[in-house]
Amino acid sequence: MKRSKRKTVKGTVISDRMDKSVVVVTETLARHPLYGKFVRKRKKLYAHDEENQCSVGDVVLLAETRPLSKTKRWRVVKIVKKAEKLE
């Protein structure tokens, strides 16, 4: 049996305080139905990070998965861009 294609989204890590979990914010542009202006829509997603590799500011690629907890429905596929460290 072939598995269906899973949804993938790109977002920025905003919290990495949990063990094996990160909070990622994704942003999409949507046109306002009446005024036609583009509005930024933000969504907070909870994702599974098995090796605790992600840190705040990283750009990550997420894939949809089965429910892992009450809120976690995504997993980190790869880190697209690491955040620059401030010293």
Side-chain angles (χ1 to χ4, degrees):
M1 189 164 101
K2 190 178 178 192
R3 243 178 31 185
S4 63
K5 196 81 170 158
R6 305 261 173 131
K7 287 182 195 173
T8 58
V9 292
K10 197 185 287 187
T12 308
V13 177
I14 57 171
S15 174
D16 63 348
R17 291 182 179 205
M18 295 175 279
D19 185 36
K20 296 186 178 185
S21 300
V22 289
V23 182
V24 178
V25 67
T26 61
E27 206 172 77
T28 56
L29 284 177
R31 189 181 280 272
H32 190 281
L34 177 61
Y35 302 113
K37 182 176 178 174
F38 283 101
V39 182
R40 280 194 172 94
K41 302 257 185 179
R42 290 184 179 93
K43 191 79 177 168
K44 247 181 12 176
L45 305 172
Y46 290 79
H48 184 66
D49 178 23
E50 185 63 41
E51 285 89 37
N52 284 324
Q53 293 178 334
C54 297
S55 57
V56 176
D58 290 353
V59 178
V60 294
L61 185 69
L62 302 179
E64 199 175 33
T65 186
R66 65 183 173 82
L68 299 169
S69 71
K70 181 181 172 184
T71 53
K72 281 201 301 191
R73 267 88 174 126
W74 297 85
R75 63 181 166 80
V76 175
V77 176
K78 71 174 183 176
I79 300 172
V80 178
K81 183 183 168 199
K82 287 295 276 182
E84 294 177 16
K85 292 191 178 184
L86 298 173
E87 293 182 26

